[in-house]
C-alpha cells in the first residue's frame, strides 16, 4: 500500500483517528501553556527581570504557578513521543479497533493526569494517568519495532 494511502483521511480510518487524537492532546498541551501564562499574570509572578522592569518583587516563584508549569512540562515530555510513535504505529497497518483504543486511552490518560495535577487529586490518580499513557506509548513502540524486523 502506498504511503499516501496510509496518510489519508478518506482512505485510512486509523490515520483519521490518530490525527483527531493527536490534535486533541496537542491542543490540551497548548492550553496548559496559556494557563501557565494566565497564572503568572494573575499572581504577578515572573521568571525574568525584563518582564517586570523596575519591579524586582515580581521576579519570584509561586506554588500555584509552578503546579501548572509542572503539569505543562509533563505534557511536553509525554505528548511528543505519542505524536511520533502514533504516526509510526499508523504505518504498521493496525486494526481500527486496536488503534482507536490506543489513541483514546492515551488521550484520556493525559486528561486524567491534568485534572489530577491541577485539582489536585490524591495519589495515585496522577501517577495512574501518567503510567497508563506511558504503557500506551510503549505498546505502540513495540508494535512498530516488531513490524520493522526483517
Amino acid at each position: 500500500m502506498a504511503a499516501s494511502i496510509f496518510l489519508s483521511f478518506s482512505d485510512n480510518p486509523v490515520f483519521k483517528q490518530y490525527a483527531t487524537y493527536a490534535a486533541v492532546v496537542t491542543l490540551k498541551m497548548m492550553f496548559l501553556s496559556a494557563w501557565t501564562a494566565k497564572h503568572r499574570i494573575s499572581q504577578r509572578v515572573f521568571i525574568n527581570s525584563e518582564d517586570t522592569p523596575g519591579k524586582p518583587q515580581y521576579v519570584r516563584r509561586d506554588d500555584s504557578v509552578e503546579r501548572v508549569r509542572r503539569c505543562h512540562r509533563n505534557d511536553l515530555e509525554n505528548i511528543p513521543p505519542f505524536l511520533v510513535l502514533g504516526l509510526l504505529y499508523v504505518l504498521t497497518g493496525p486494526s481500527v479497533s486496536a488503534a482507536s483504543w490506543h489513541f483514546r486511552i492515551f488521550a484520556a490518560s493525559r486528561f486524567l493526569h491534568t485534572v489530577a495535577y491541577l485539582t489536585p487529586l490524591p495519589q495515585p490518580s496522577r501517577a495512574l494517568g501518567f503510567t497508563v499513557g506511558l504503557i500506551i506509548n510503549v505498546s505502540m513502540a513495540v508494535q512498530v519495532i516488531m513490524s520493522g524486523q526483517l
Side-chain angles (χ1 to χ4, degrees):
M1 191 178 281
S4 62
I5 293 174
F6 271 119
L7 302 179
S8 166
F9 282 107
S10 59
D11 296 327
N12 188 344
V14 172
F15 178 69
K16 188 175 184 177
Q17 291 250 338
Y18 162 76
T20 300
Y21 286 102
V24 166
V25 295
T26 299
L27 282 173
K28 186 191 88 58
M29 183 172 59
M30 292 166 58
F31 169 78
L32 279 175
S33 178
W35 193 252
T36 302
K38 180 229 176 265
H39 261 61
R40 282 194 187 286
I41 293 166
S42 69
Q43 300 296 320
R44 295 183 181 174
V45 174
F46 301 94
I47 291 211
N48 304 305
S49 58
E50 66 269 15
D51 296 337
T52 61
K55 297 180 182 176
Q57 71 271 24
Y58 294 143
V59 179
R60 59 191 174 89
R61 295 212 182 273
D62 177 85
D63 287 341
S64 67
V65 172
E66 288 302 306
R67 180 168 285 279
V68 177
R69 191 183 67 77
R70 286 190 307 267
C71 185
H72 179 234
R73 184 175 179 150
N74 194 274
D75 271 357
L76 290 170
E77 295 169 353
N78 289 278
I79 291 174
F82 168 78
L83 298 175
V84 172
L85 292 168
L87 183 58
L88 295 173
Y89 178 64
V90 168
L91 297 175
T92 68
S95 72
V96 174
S97 177
S100 295
W101 280 110
H102 276 87
F103 304 151
R104 287 176 187 151
I105 292 171
F106 180 84
S109 77
R110 294 313 305 167
F111 278 93
L112 170 63
H113 181 271
T114 297
V115 168
Y117 217 133
L118 298 182
T119 301
L121 297 177
Q123 285 286 28
S125 55
R126 189 177 81 235
L128 181 64
F130 169 81
T131 303
V132 168
L134 178 66
I135 290 169
I136 293 297
N137 276 340
V138 168
S139 173
M140 291 189 300
V142 167
Q143 295 301 312
V144 169
I145 291 167
M146 290 174 39
S147 292
Q149 295 296 314
L150 300 176

